[in-house]
Amino acid sequence: MHILLADDHDMVRETISAYLESEGGAEVALAIDLAGALQSIRQDGPFDLVLLDFQMPGMNGLTGLIQAISANKGGRVAILSGSAPAKTAREALEAGAIGFIPKTMGAQSLLNAVRFMSSGEVYMPVELMREEEATDHPLAEKLSPRELEVLESLCKGLSNKEIARELDLQEVTIKLHVRTLCRKLDAKNRTQAALTAKEAGLF
Amino acid sequence: MHILLADDHDMVRETISAYLESEGGAEVALAIDLAGALQSIRQDGPFDLVLLDFQMPGMNGLTGLIQAISANKGGRVAILSGSAPAKTAREALEAGAIGFIPKTMGAQSLLNAVRFMSSGEVYMPVELMREEEATDHPLAEKLSPRELEVLESLCKGLSNKEIARELDLQEVTIKLHVRTLCRKLDAKNRTQAALTAKEAGLF
DNA sequence: TAGCGCCCTAACCTTTGGTATAGGAACGCT
DNA sequence: AGCGTTCCTATACCAAAGGTTAGGGCGCTA
């Protein structure tokens, strides 16, 4: 197996690669950011599998993934993520990733998944696949669709008026939603509501 | 070397332990959370070194560290952290930790640090020691001490009046600081300022 | 059909937030 | 001494946020 592992945490990178090499007999190339990964791909030809850390310089979201896929001709690019929101996992697959690996996974399972993906199979942990559970953030369940839209704008720091324009509603209506949002999120004001939503990783 | 490694990420735990065992000849016990770690310490006697992930169920801040230190009689407890704010590192040392290891550290350096700490020496990466650089978040540099205090309260979602009470100042003064904060953080309002500060990992 | 939950709007009011302008006190610096 | 910076205070005005009550429309369901 010819594998490229890109992660900006030296420790993660080196220990995982050591494990894949000793236990899995893989040949592992390393990169510390997206730029390094892309260069390595172009230089040392297409890999059987490219593992990209999701939070890494240059990645910003899925654009880095897409670049890597186009660089590594045969595809075979997987995302490695520490805190895995199920939604991004599915988005990654839709964007063409061959797999999604949360770091909460065991080392042995990782090895299996890597073998799996190296041979061209798509890998995705079942916990992240359940359609329903996916969008269902524990917090989001209580909110109506409208409220979610408003909350998202709230998290951009927009004013009621701006939100009203964005959603094509009256300002008063926004106020209403903001009030109920504050109640549901147990916040005293819009700022706390936005902070809470952010911390819950909703957006 | 008799070592206990506690981390809730299976992958991190298993790969690091595999590395420490094969390359460092260490004997590594594992735990997936603080409770497990404490139990393991009490059962299998004091370890030469206990490595605790800073973000792990049961840790909440430094209280988990302190528990572990008192459980592992000889001390010898070190913190392992993914995103390492220099401030917490120093706080951990003050609380009695024998070392602080950011996951951005290389695997070989990790091994050295572990050997070092196992023999009772305090280990701390130099980058995190420089007194000045410590509080110096790239963003925080531009802000006066007062502004930082206000910003911190802002990040709790407090109103101007509440902040004024907390800092024993007049409300108008807070407004002033909020305004300059918004200017310096390039935010349109308090909410955006708070969000920006949070994202920069300031608090 | 009646009831319920969600969504939208209205008018009205109070509190809070944001801006401007101006001045005083404390500190370090040259 | 004079200068600049930071910090604090003050007055005043307008905009925005927060809250209340009241009402209409829509779709679902008992």
Side-chain angles (χ1 to χ4, degrees):
Chain A
M1 289 193 292
H2 193 207
I3 295 177
L4 173 63
L5 171 61
D7 193 314
D8 58 331
H9 284 28
D10 292 356
M11 185 183 296
V12 174
R13 194 172 60 241
E14 292 176 32
T15 51
I16 289 185
S17 72
Y19 190 87
L20 288 179
E21 285 179 343
S22 67
E23 305 296 315
E27 184 187 340
V28 183
L30 300 175
I32 61 163
D33 55 14
L34 183 66
L38 292 177
Q39 193 190 336
S40 181
I41 292 174
R42 285 191 240 282
Q43 227 166 60
D44 305 330
F47 289 86
D48 294 331
L49 179 63
V50 176
L51 288 170
L52 294 181
D53 182 25
F54 191 64
Q55 297 96 318
M56 184 172 62
M59 284 296 287
N60 66 339
L62 296 174
T63 63
L65 168 64
I66 293 168
Q67 289 178 263
I69 291 175
S70 73
N72 197 46
K73 291 149 200 161
R76 307 273 182 89
V77 179
I79 290 292
L80 203 60
S81 171
S83 54
K87 192 170 154 235
T88 15
R90 264 178 293 109
E91 284 174 352
L93 282 208
E94 281 169 30
I98 198 170
F100 188 94
I101 302 186
K103 287 187 186 166
T104 52
M105 181 186 290
Q108 188 54 49
S109 316
L110 164 69
L111 188 51
N112 288 333
V114 167
R115 287 212 178 97
F116 214 61
M117 292 186 289
S118 296
S119 63
E121 299 283 335
V122 171
Y123 177 83
M124 172 91 160
V126 275
E127 313 92 87
L128 301 183
M129 282 304 282
R130 299 185 213 114
E131 267 304 320
E132 294 316 88
E133 203 259 2
T135 21
D136 275 10
H137 222 278
L139 229 165
E141 281 180 274
K142 302 181 205 163
L143 308 180
S144 72
R146 254 311 184 221
E147 286 163 354
L148 271 174
E149 289 181 301
V150 174
L151 184 54
E152 185 167 5
S153 299
L154 216 52
C155 285
K156 295 191 225 157
L158 301 183
S159 71
N160 289 337
K161 197 172 291 186
E162 289 169 319
I163 301 176
R165 243 184 288 118
E166 207 172 71
L167 301 182
D168 200 28
L169 294 175
Q170 294 308 108
E171 189 184 342
V172 257
T173 309
I174 305 301
K175 287 189 180 185
L176 181 79
H177 289 308
V178 171
R179 188 164 53 82
T180 61
L181 274 172
C182 285
R183 276 214 266 270
K184 292 189 181 178
L185 298 188
D186 198 31
K188 278 202 306 241
N189 51 46
R190 56 172 44 225
T191 306
Q192 274 190 13
L195 255 10
T196 304
K198 268 272 180 184
E199 259 180 49
L202 255 174
F203 301 109
Chain B
M1 290 194 294
H2 192 206
I3 295 177
L4 173 63
L5 172 60
D7 192 313
D8 59 329
H9 284 27
D10 292 356
M11 186 185 294
V12 174
R13 194 171 62 241
E14 293 175 30
T15 49
I16 289 184
S17 72
Y19 190 87
L20 288 179
E21 285 180 342
S22 67
E23 305 295 317
E27 184 187 341
V28 183
L30 300 175
I32 63 164
D33 55 14
L34 184 67
L38 292 177
Q39 194 192 334
S40 181
I41 292 174
R42 286 190 240 282
Q43 228 167 61
D44 305 330
F47 288 85
D48 294 330
L49 180 63
V50 176
L51 287 170
L52 295 181
D53 183 25
F54 191 64
Q55 297 95 318
M56 184 172 62
M59 283 297 285
N60 67 337
L62 295 173
T63 64
L65 168 64
I66 293 168
Q67 290 179 263
I69 291 176
S70 73
N72 197 48
K73 292 149 201 163
R76 308 273 183 91
V77 179
I79 290 292
L80 204 60
S81 171
S83 54
K87 192 170 152 232
T88 15
R90 265 178 290 111
E91 284 173 353
L93 283 208
E94 280 169 30
I98 198 170
F100 188 95
I101 303 187
K103 288 189 186 164
T104 51
M105 181 186 292
Q108 188 54 48
S109 317
L110 164 68
L111 188 51
N112 289 332
V114 167
R115 287 211 178 99
F116 213 61
M117 292 186 289
S118 296
S119 62
E121 298 283 336
V122 171
Y123 176 83
M124 172 91 160
V126 276
E127 312 92 86
L128 302 182
M129 282 304 283
R130 298 184 214 114
E131 269 304 322
E132 294 315 87
E133 202 261 1
T135 24
D136 273 12
H137 221 278
L139 228 163
E141 283 181 88
K142 302 183 207 164
L143 309 180
S144 73
R146 249 322 177 215
E147 287 163 354
L148 271 174
E149 289 180 301
V150 174
L151 184 53
E152 186 168 2
S153 300
L154 215 53
C155 285
K156 294 191 226 155
L158 301 183
S159 70
N160 289 337
K161 197 172 288 187
E162 290 169 318
I163 301 175
R165 244 185 288 117
E166 207 172 71
L167 301 182
D168 199 31
L169 294 175
Q170 295 307 112
E171 189 185 342
V172 259
T173 310
I174 305 301
K175 287 188 180 185
L176 180 78
H177 289 309
V178 170
R179 189 165 52 83
T180 62
L181 274 172
C182 285
R183 275 214 267 269
K184 290 188 182 179
L185 298 188
D186 199 30
K188 278 201 306 235
N189 51 46
R190 57 171 43 227
T191 305
Q192 274 190 12
L195 256 10
T196 305
K198 269 274 180 184
E199 260 182 47
L202 255 175
F203 301 109

